[in-house]
Amino acid sequence: MSSHQLFELIAYSFSIVVTAWIGGIIPLFYKKNHRVLHWFISLGAGVLLGAAFLHMIPEASEMIGKDVGIYVLGGFLMLFVLEKFIMTHPCPSEHCEFHRVGLSAFLGLSLHSLVTGIALGTGVMVPKLGLVVFLAIILHKVPASLSLTSLFIKENYSNKKLFVYLTAFSLMVPLGALITYLFLQQTSIKTIGALTAFSAGTFLHVAADDLLPEVHQHSHDKYSRLIVFAIGILTTWLVTLLE
């Protein structure tokens, strides 16, 4: 990697961190407006499903072929086991269980960000591809940060804890890029494909099991949530046009 490519990678990574923070801070201004928070979560559900089905799985399939299903299922089951059997705890109501949706979403989104950071690092080494990958990550990052912070707010996380998670999430792309620079400049296509497919599986679990219920919850506002959900899918479809 040349010095120019390294500078480009640092500039892109810094911009992505700032974007993630901006997206993550916006819901704090709507902490008491549950309607808007649910819109953000519905948007996140659309973005995650769209990213998995329209972007990540097709791309991983090109790299690892028919094995893509194994890794997608692995990512899905990993979060399923973590959420249902490890991160569960009894809630105050009798015969009730509550799982930390925000934490599982954080794990899934962070894993994807780490993979996209690796993709950014490899993309910068290909002429004219770095900018395209950067724009795609930016367009994914804003709605992802919005929905993640909204989930933490809904679960009554303190601002201090929320900022810790938001900072960790925002640094995942630079971390992935750093891993590429230090260790993976010659990594195999199959490894990137497997990581992408695994990350897609985590997206599917977070979207289907955790976020999609927000889209149809409370009949009085279901149509506006459905529209926002569709906007999230449309956003990821537009991103594929840049790739």
Side-chain angles (χ1 to χ4, degrees):
M1 183 179 290
S2 67
S3 58
H4 173 74
Q5 290 172 330
L6 178 59
F7 175 80
E8 188 178 7
L9 186 61
I10 293 173
Y12 287 156
S13 297
F14 177 78
S15 300
I16 290 168
V17 170
V18 172
T19 300
W21 258 89
I22 292 174
I25 288 175
I26 290 175
L28 293 175
F29 297 100
Y30 300 94
K31 292 183 71 170
K32 297 183 179 181
N33 191 330
H34 295 289
R35 187 184 189 191
V36 174
L37 289 178
H38 286 141
W39 282 348
F40 289 150
I41 293 170
S42 298
L43 179 69
V47 168
L48 293 187
L49 278 182
F53 283 117
L54 302 177
H55 169 68
M56 300 166 70
I57 294 176
E59 191 170 284
S61 181
E62 291 183 2
M63 291 185 277
I64 59 177
K66 63 180 182 180
D67 290 337
V68 65
I70 297 174
Y71 293 102
V72 172
L73 181 61
F76 187 97
L77 291 178
M78 182 200 74
L79 272 194
F80 173 78
V81 172
L82 283 175
E83 184 178 290
K84 304 300 183 183
F85 300 101
I86 297 177
M87 295 189 297
T88 56
H89 63 86
C91 66
S93 301
E94 190 177 1
H95 307 304
C96 167
E97 282 190 332
F98 171 77
H99 54 271
R100 297 184 181 276
V101 176
L103 188 55
S104 63
F106 168 77
L107 291 174
L109 289 168
S110 295
L111 177 60
H112 174 62
S113 294
L114 188 67
V115 174
T116 53
I118 294 173
L120 179 64
T122 54
V124 165
M125 291 184 282
V126 180
K128 298 182 180 179
L129 184 59
L131 179 60
V132 174
V133 175
F134 166 71
L135 291 175
I137 293 173
I138 286 289
L139 290 176
H140 281 135
K141 206 71 174 176
V142 174
S145 297
L146 285 170
S147 60
L148 183 61
T149 304
S150 298
L151 284 171
F152 284 140
I153 291 173
K154 186 181 177 185
E155 295 179 7
N156 298 316
Y157 277 59
S158 67
N159 285 349
K160 181 178 180 181
K161 185 178 290 188
L162 189 151
F163 287 139
V164 170
Y165 279 114
L166 181 59
T167 300
F169 171 64
S170 66
L171 291 175
M172 285 297 160
V173 169
L175 178 60
L178 179 63
I179 290 173
T180 303
Y181 176 70
L182 294 178
F183 307 110
L184 301 178
Q185 294 193 44
Q186 303 299 324
T187 191
S188 69
I189 294 296
K190 286 189 175 181
T191 300
I192 298 296
L195 289 172
T196 301
F198 189 87
S199 183
T202 66
F203 269 39
L204 291 178
H205 184 273
V206 171
D209 193 55
D210 298 331
L211 304 188
L212 274 179
E214 296 291 340
V215 178
H216 61 76
Q217 189 180 36
H218 305 310
S219 59
H220 66 276
D221 205 25
K222 63 181 180 181
Y223 293 110
S224 65
R225 295 182 190 185
L226 180 61
I227 291 172
V228 175
F229 169 68
I231 290 173
I233 294 177
L234 179 62
T235 299
T236 57
W237 177 75
L238 292 174
V239 169
T240 63
L241 301 180
L242 296 173
E243 298 175 335

